[in-house]
């Protein structure tokens, strides 16, 4: 006897998912006879229907062989309103009416089941139907029920936890629970529980994906109660969030298809035909000759339209859908008709939605950034509003991933309470930290990227469960500890020719993070990938921390010259970082700035930054600049970083010109690239100076160590990693009194702090150190000793401990 013990038909009318409630959509559209046919085709010998508090669906097929009447009963713990679902199987119409009278109290209901010998199973026992289920409620269920369900629509982690807990029950445990809750055990061997399986299908896509097989000789007339004690096996194809989302899309499609009678177009419109094939189970629409001609003419017409005729979301969706169908004829292949093919169907649907949403997202993203660069405020908000419609279309996936996360904390609490942690890998891993670190800038040449690369290398060497997630459009080789996704699109920044904004594939990243089981998200940047990290943390209900690396609003003001755009940038930055559970500020000044802007001081930590003192070392001084015919006796001034306006390099150019006029034997080296490079070369190209472009690896190390003074005029850097690198290389440094770099030197011992945005202050500091070789040497030695106490390893360990603290606090709050 093979039977799916939990399946719904159109008689389940009240939806449980909020998205279906918003659509005013019933919970299922499956016709009972269609359900029966599908179950039989998928190998079920018996069929029953368990609609919510209704036997209407079961009665429609009661005349067919191998059927019996069942329902899913909604009941409650009357003391606090905690909602439960119980399967009442193989019942009569009279019993159904009595059950409905008693269902307000689970105690009355379970007593009725025992008295009338109604076969019953507590459905999805670790799923909090109305968010009130606690470990205490679960303990009472162990005393009230003998049969429990391995639910085919819930996260398999819940089923694993349930199986482990039930297998570990003993008479002593049951006796302790009976005394604790004042509920005497009602069964002969109350510690021995039985597990049954049902798909909990609502769309008919997954009927028989999970089912129960009773071992023995049975025929179509055998009642369930007659074989209740038979040996049984639960067969299950584990569901994923993609399974649930596919169901939600299917239910919504069937709703709109029925409401607007869209079926009449299925032989003509490729889009509707595709939706039918993907979202309507076992429906095969074979177009006739006229339809084939129609499709051909439509395809020829579409090939002449390269771009959508409108920027509206609806037009974009139709246009991109038609393009995808043209590019991939397999999308219109026959739909999945079996359980294993149904899995392929949900994967194909995920692929389709991901590709479609990616194309539309790129379109909106480019429009938004175009409007931002042009300060077209009203168009900005119009584009954001249109993109909000795309979010609505992706909601089924967001809901599904969230639902598969719901109950994680409850499962861990129950696992610990029953001492099954060692048997549950998911519960055991929850006590450790598994970090996904998102960044937009990993493949750039800057201090942030260098720090991230060092973190990856150390995490790999220390065997820490840490993965850096980013996007890469250059098809670079895979690195251990790094996962890069192909971006769905790129946007060229006009001010930074070497930089691009990469649009991340949100659905792919979300699916990856769910499968990998990360329990902490860290975001290094608030760009598109950082936004994806924030969304993923919310959907998966994970703690999220972030680093405030870059003074974005100040950069916006410098680049656009618009205080209005700076204000818009501040609003975005403050909104973004305020969503995080913890913010790592690189300096006290940065923390104070964020607090002044309105972010709570309690959620900001000044985090440690370390340096690789083996790599950046005075011992690497080797006369690196000889290749540029630099006089070894000259005093070599060095700048390393992005060559751009916001770094105040125009002030350095002016100060250096004045220095050369009064001080012979100096040489300025600019290491880096950027949009200001050509202009700076034109400004001081007639002076003793070297422009090396970007340097990496040993060349960069030697450039530091072979210089004499490091000059960093920026007033917008939140940290300035290059300041640490220079000091570790034995150089005295000159920094401004604004931003983070000043906090990473010892004034008058390892370097000089000058007034920000002041040419005269920069000039005076350079002149002081140029004229006094002994002071330079003493400061350089002090700088090296200062950095030797700031190892990268120690800083990483301290940051890792902070991740653990955030996770512990989040769990305690939950």
């Amino acid at each position: 006897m093979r039977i799916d013990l939990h399946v719904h038909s159109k008689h389940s009318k009240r939806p449980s998912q909020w998205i279906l409630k918003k659509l005013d959509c019933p919970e299922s559209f499956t016709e009972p006879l269609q359900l029966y046919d599908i179950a039989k085709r998928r190998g079920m010998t018996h069929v029953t229907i368990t609609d919510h508090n209704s036997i209407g669906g079961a009665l429609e097929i009661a005349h067919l062989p191998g059927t019996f009447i069942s329902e899913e009963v909604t009941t409650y713990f009357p003391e606090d309103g905690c909602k439960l679902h119980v399967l009442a199987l193989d019942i009569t119409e009279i019993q159904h009416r009595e059950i409905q009278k008693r269902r307000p109290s689970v105690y009355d209901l379970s007593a009725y089941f025992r008295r009338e010998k109604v076969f019953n199973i507590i459905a999805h026992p670790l799923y909090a139907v109305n968010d009130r289920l606690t470990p205490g409620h679960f303990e009472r269920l162990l005393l009230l029920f003998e049969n429990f369900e391995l639910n085919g629509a819930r996260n398999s982690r819940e089923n694993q936890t349930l199986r482990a807990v039930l297998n570990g029950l003993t008479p002593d445990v049951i006796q302790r629970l009976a005394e604790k809750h004042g509920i005497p055990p009602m069964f002969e061997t109350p510690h021995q529980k039985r597990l049954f399986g049902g798909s909990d299908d609502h769309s008919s896509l997954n009927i028989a994906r999970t089912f129960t097989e009773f071992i023995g000789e049975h025929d179509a007339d055998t009642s369930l109660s007659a074989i209740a004690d038979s040996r049984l096996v639960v067969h299950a194809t584990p569901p994923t969030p993609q399974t649930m989302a596919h169901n939600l899309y299917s239910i919504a499609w069937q709703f709109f298809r029925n409401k607007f009678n869209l079926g009449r177009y299925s032989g003509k419109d490729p889009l509707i035909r595709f939706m039918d094939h993907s979202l309507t189970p076992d429906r095969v629409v074979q177009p006739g000759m006229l339809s084939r001609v129609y499709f051909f003419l439509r395809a020829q017409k579409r090939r002449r339209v390269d771009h959508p005729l409108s920027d509206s979301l609806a037009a974009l969706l139709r246009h991109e859908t038609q393009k995808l169908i043209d590019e991939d004829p397999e999308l219109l292949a026959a739909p999945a008709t079996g359980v294993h093919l149904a899995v392929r169907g949900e994967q194909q649907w995920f692929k389709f939605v991901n590709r479609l949403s990616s194309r539309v997202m790129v379109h909106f993203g480019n429009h938004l950034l175009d409007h931002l660069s042009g300060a077209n405020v009203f168009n900005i908000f119009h584009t954001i509003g249109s993109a909000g419609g795309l979010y609505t279309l992706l909601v089924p996936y967001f809901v599904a991933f969230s639902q598969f996360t719901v109950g994680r904390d409850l499962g861990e609490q129950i696992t610990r309470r029953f001492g099954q942690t060692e048997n549950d890998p998911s519960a055991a891993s929850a006590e450790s930290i598994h970090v996904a670190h998102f960044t937009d800038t990993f493949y750039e040449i800057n201090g942030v990227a260098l720090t991230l690369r060092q973190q990856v290398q150390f995490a790999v060497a220390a065997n820490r469960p840490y993965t850096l997630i980013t996007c890469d459009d250059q098809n670079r080789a895979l690195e251990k500890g790094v996962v890069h996704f192909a971006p769905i699109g790129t946007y060229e920044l006009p001010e930074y020719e070497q930089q691009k904004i990469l649009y991340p594939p949100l659905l792919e990243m979300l699916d990856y993070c769910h499968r990998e089981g990360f329990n902490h998200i860290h975001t290094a940047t608030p760009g598109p990938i950082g936004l994806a990290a924030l969304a993923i943390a919310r959907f998966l209900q994970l703690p999220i921390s972030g680093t405030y690396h870059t003074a974005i609003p100040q950069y916006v003001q410098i680049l656009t010259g618009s205080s209005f755009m700076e204000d818009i940038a501040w609003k975005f930055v403050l909104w973004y970082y305020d969503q995080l559970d913890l913010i790592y500020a690189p300096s006290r000044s940065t923390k104070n700035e964020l607090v002044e802007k309105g972010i709570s001081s309690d959620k900001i930590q000044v985090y440690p930054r370390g340096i690789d003192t083996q790599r950046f070392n005075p011992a690497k001084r080797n006369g690196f600049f000889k290749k540029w015919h630099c006089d070894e006796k000259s005093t070599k001034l060095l700048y390393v970083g992005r060559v751009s306006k916001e770094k105040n390099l125009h002030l350095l150019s002016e100060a250096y010109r004045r220095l050369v006029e009064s001080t012979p034997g100096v040489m300025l080296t600019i290491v880096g690239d950027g949009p200001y490079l050509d202009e700076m070369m034109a400004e001081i190209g007639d002076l003793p100076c070297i422009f090396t472009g970007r340097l990496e690896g040993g060349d960069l190390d030697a450039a530091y160590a072979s210089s004499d003074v490091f000059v960093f005029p920026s007033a917008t850097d939140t940290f300035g990693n290059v300041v640490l690198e220079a000091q570790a290389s034995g150089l005295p440094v000159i920094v401004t009194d604004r931003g983070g770099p000043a906090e990473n030197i010892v004034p008058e011992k390892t370097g000089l702090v000058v007034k920000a945005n002041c040419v005269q202050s920069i000039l005076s500091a350079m002149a002081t150190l140029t004229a006094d070789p002994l002071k330079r040497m003493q400061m350089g030695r002090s700088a090296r000793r200062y950095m030797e106490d700031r190892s990268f390893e120690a800083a990483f360990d301290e940051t890792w401990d902070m991740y653990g603290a955030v996770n512990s606090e989040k769990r305690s709050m939950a």
Side-chain angles (χ1 to χ4, degrees):
M1 179 177 182
R2 293 183 301 276
I3 181 169
D4 184 344
L5 290 170
H6 190 169
V7 64
H8 295 267
S9 78
K10 67 179 183 180
H11 292 271
S12 289
K13 298 184 180 299
R14 298 185 62 184
S16 56
Q17 298 296 339
W18 66 265
I19 181 175
L20 299 179
K21 292 178 181 177
K22 286 288 186 182
L23 296 175
D24 196 24
C25 174
E27 192 166 27
S28 176
F29 278 88
T30 309
E31 291 289 341
L33 285 173
Q34 181 192 20
L35 187 157
Y36 180 88
D37 290 339
I38 293 174
K40 285 290 189 175
R41 286 202 303 273
R42 294 183 179 179
M44 299 298 100
T45 62
H46 290 65
V47 181
T48 193
I49 297 176
T50 52
D51 286 314
H52 286 293
N53 305 307
S54 170
I55 59 173
L59 287 175
E60 285 195 35
I61 62 170
H63 62 286
L64 298 173
T67 62
F68 49 82
I69 299 172
S70 304
E71 65 180 317
E72 183 175 15
V73 184
T74 302
T75 186
Y76 304 84
F77 280 105
E79 59 268 32
D80 54 20
C82 176
K83 184 186 291 188
L84 309 164
H85 289 164
V86 185
L87 302 178
L89 303 160
D90 201 1
I91 61 175
T92 66
E93 294 182 62
I94 294 175
Q95 287 174 326
H96 161 68
R97 290 192 290 270
E98 293 300 318
I99 287 170
Q100 293 303 304
K101 293 177 184 177
R102 290 165 173 78
R103 71 180 183 87
S105 169
V106 67
Y107 304 111
D108 295 342
L109 183 65
S110 61
Y112 175 79
F113 286 156
R114 288 192 298 274
R115 185 169 63 251
E116 295 296 318
K117 294 183 173 54
V118 173
F119 189 82
N120 62 90
I121 304 170
I122 183 73
H124 41 69
L126 297 186
Y127 172 55
V129 180
N130 62 348
D131 299 323
R132 298 187 183 184
L133 188 70
T134 66
H137 291 116
F138 178 74
E139 290 176 345
R140 279 170 269 174
L141 291 179
L142 294 176
L143 299 169
L144 294 171
F145 293 93
E146 188 175 24
N147 304 318
F148 289 74
E149 181 194 39
L150 296 174
N151 187 270
R154 307 303 311 168
N155 195 323
S156 57
R157 180 190 64 244
E158 295 178 15
N159 292 335
Q160 293 167 3
T161 298
L162 178 65
R163 189 186 291 274
V165 170
L166 296 188
N167 287 341
L169 292 178
T170 65
D172 289 341
V173 171
I174 293 297
Q175 184 60 37
R176 176 175 57 81
L177 295 180
E179 293 172 357
K180 176 181 178 180
H181 295 286
I183 301 175
M186 301 297 179
F187 313 104
E188 185 175 344
T189 53
H191 67 286
Q192 294 179 354
K193 306 298 182 183
R194 305 196 77 199
L195 288 166
F196 298 80
S199 67
D200 199 0
D201 176 85
H202 290 76
S203 65
S204 75
L205 291 174
N206 294 291
I207 294 171
R209 182 170 176 145
T210 297
F211 66 92
T212 303
E213 180 178 12
F214 294 88
I215 308 300
E217 295 295 330
H218 312 295
D219 56 38
D221 297 326
T222 302
S223 68
L224 187 60
S225 58
I227 61 169
D229 295 328
S230 300
R231 187 168 66 90
L232 60 88
V233 177
V234 174
H235 300 269
T237 301
T240 68
Q242 294 183 22
T243 309
M244 176 178 283
H246 196 206
N247 283 334
L248 292 174
Y249 280 110
S250 175
I251 294 169
W253 170 245
Q254 292 177 59
F255 169 66
F256 286 115
R257 191 181 191 279
N258 290 343
K259 184 174 182 178
F260 299 109
N261 192 23
L262 298 178
R264 65 186 188 274
Y265 301 114
S266 60
K268 299 178 180 180
D269 192 308
L271 173 58
I272 292 178
R273 182 166 175 249
F274 169 67
M275 299 288 276
D276 267 348
H277 273 64
S278 300
L279 301 176
T280 306
D282 292 7
R283 184 190 301 275
V284 180
V285 181
Q286 298 293 349
M289 180 58 68
L290 290 177
S291 294
R292 290 191 179 94
V293 173
Y294 176 80
F295 290 152
F296 175 78
L297 294 176
R298 287 288 299 271
Q300 297 306 310
K301 179 179 179 181
R302 288 195 301 274
R303 291 190 180 100
R304 296 194 294 268
V305 180
D306 295 329
H307 302 285
L309 300 178
S310 167
D311 284 344
S312 73
L313 178 61
L316 280 168
L317 288 173
R318 174 166 288 276
H319 175 80
E320 294 295 348
T321 300
Q322 291 172 343
K323 282 179 62 178
L324 287 172
I325 292 173
D326 288 342
E327 294 168 7
D328 189 357
E330 288 299 315
L331 292 175
L332 284 178
T337 57
V339 172
H340 296 295
L341 291 177
V343 175
R344 191 186 72 181
E346 72 192 33
Q347 294 170 346
Q348 187 182 57
W349 179 255
F350 178 84
K351 176 183 176 182
F352 168 74
V353 174
N354 180 54
R355 290 170 61 187
L356 178 61
S357 61
S358 295
R359 291 187 176 186
V360 179
M361 187 70 76
V362 169
H363 179 88
F364 284 131
N366 288 341
H367 271 234
L368 177 62
L369 291 173
D370 284 342
H371 297 324
L372 280 171
S373 62
N376 300 320
V377 180
F378 294 106
N379 288 335
I380 290 171
F381 291 115
H382 173 76
T383 302
I384 291 174
S386 297
L390 177 62
Y391 169 86
T392 301
L393 292 182
L394 294 177
V395 159
Y397 279 110
F398 301 153
V399 169
F401 279 97
S402 297
Q403 285 294 306
F404 265 61
T405 302
V406 169
R408 179 181 55 216
D409 293 336
L410 175 62
E412 291 170 6
Q413 294 170 22
I414 290 174
T415 299
R416 289 193 295 269
R417 181 169 294 196
F418 285 88
Q420 296 298 324
T421 302
E422 65 276 10
N423 298 322
D424 184 0
S426 64
S429 65
E431 300 302 321
S432 61
I433 306 301
H434 190 187
V435 176
H437 193 142
F438 287 74
T439 179
D440 294 84
T441 62
F442 186 69
Y443 291 111
E444 295 180 15
I445 306 299
N446 56 40
V448 174
L450 175 62
T451 299
L452 293 174
R453 192 166 291 280
Q454 289 175 317
Q455 287 182 346
V456 171
Q457 293 169 352
F458 182 77
V460 169
N463 200 29
R464 295 284 177 85
Y466 169 99
T467 301
L468 189 137
I469 297 175
T470 188
C471 281
D472 174 36
D473 63 346
Q474 300 297 316
N475 197 27
R476 294 176 175 88
L478 295 176
E479 302 176 51
K480 194 169 184 180
V482 178
V483 172
H484 54 235
F485 290 83
I488 61 177
T490 61
Y491 185 87
E492 304 282 346
L493 291 172
E495 290 288 336
Y496 294 92
E497 296 179 2
Q498 298 83 7
Q499 282 194 308
K500 294 174 285 189
I501 290 178
L502 306 179
Y503 299 129
L506 175 59
L507 284 184
E508 292 178 37
M509 286 181 164
L510 177 60
D511 183 62
Y512 172 78
C513 289
H514 174 266
R515 286 186 284 106
E516 290 298 308
F518 295 111
N519 60 18
H520 186 99
I521 302 291
H522 185 90
T523 171
T525 43
I529 297 175
L531 287 169
L534 178 60
I536 290 168
R538 291 291 176 264
F539 297 142
L540 300 183
Q541 300 183 29
L542 297 176
I544 178 170
S545 56
T547 309
Y548 186 83
H549 281 296
T550 306
I552 292 176
Q554 292 90 324
Y555 282 15
V556 169
Q557 199 283 328
I558 291 170
L559 295 174
T560 67
S562 168
S563 58
F564 175 78
M565 293 305 296
E566 180 186 15
D567 185 56
I568 291 289
W570 265 120
K571 284 181 168 56
F572 165 72
V573 166
L574 293 174
W575 168 83
Y576 179 82
Y577 282 97
D578 205 32
Q579 306 304 306
L580 309 184
D581 298 303
L582 181 67
I583 304 166
Y584 297 122
S587 62
R588 290 187 300 276
S589 65
T590 301
K591 175 178 179 178
N592 293 337
E593 182 179 36
L594 293 176
V595 171
E596 289 173 4
K597 293 290 185 179
I599 295 181
S600 171
S601 175
D602 295 338
K603 66 172 7 180
I604 307 176
Q605 289 271 5
V606 177
Y607 76 103
R609 286 283 282 270
I611 191 70
D612 185 347
T613 54
Q614 295 299 314
R615 176 186 174 187
F616 299 102
N617 196 305
K620 296 190 176 182
R621 188 177 184 98
N622 63 2
F624 177 75
F625 299 108
K626 287 180 181 179
K627 65 181 73 175
W628 283 277
H629 308 292
C630 175
D631 185 355
E632 186 62 25
K633 296 180 180 180
S634 65
T635 303
K636 289 171 282 297
L637 308 174
L638 176 69
Y639 167 85
V640 177
R642 194 191 313 281
V643 183
S644 55
K645 293 179 181 178
E646 74 273 7
K647 300 295 185 179
N648 278 344
L649 293 183
H650 60 292
L651 302 182
L652 176 59
S653 295
E654 186 176 345
Y656 181 61
R657 179 170 291 281
R658 295 186 194 178
L659 179 68
V660 171
E661 291 174 355
S662 60
T663 307
V666 292
M667 174 70 71
L668 174 64
T669 299
I670 304 296
V671 176
D673 201 351
Y676 183 60
L677 180 60
D678 291 341
E679 188 175 343
M680 189 175 189
M681 292 176 69
E683 288 175 353
I684 61 174
D686 60 321
L687 304 178
C689 57
I690 300 171
F691 292 88
T692 69
R694 292 178 177 175
L695 295 179
E696 300 181 43
D699 286 346
L700 179 61
D701 307 346
Y704 274 118
S706 300
S707 300
D708 299 304
V709 178
F710 185 75
V711 187
F712 196 66
S714 173
T716 58
D717 273 67
T718 58
F719 185 81
N721 205 65
V722 289
V723 174
L724 297 189
E725 295 169 1
Q727 291 179 96
S729 301
L731 302 186
V733 296
I734 298 172
V735 299
T736 72
D737 59 0
R738 188 176 299 174
E743 297 178 24
N744 290 293
I745 77 166
V746 181
E748 301 298 328
K749 288 189 177 181
T750 70
L752 302 176
V753 179
V754 303
K755 185 178 180 181
N757 304 314
C758 178
V759 173
Q760 185 58 46
S761 293
I762 298 172
L763 172 61
S764 297
M766 290 194 300
T768 298
L769 293 180
T770 300
D772 193 341
L774 180 60
K775 186 170 186 175
R776 289 202 310 268
M777 185 180 300
Q778 291 172 340
M779 280 189 167
R781 289 174 177 170
S782 296
R784 174 62 190 181
R785 288 194 298 271
Y786 178 47
M787 288 298 101
E788 286 174 347
D789 294 330
R790 300 186 62 168
S791 73
F792 184 83
E793 292 82 356
F796 186 85
D797 286 341
E798 190 170 342
T799 303
W800 195 264
D801 290 339
M802 290 182 182
Y803 291 149
V806 173
N807 276 28
S808 297
E809 182 177 355
K810 193 84 170 179
R811 283 200 300 269
S812 64
M813 291 175 62

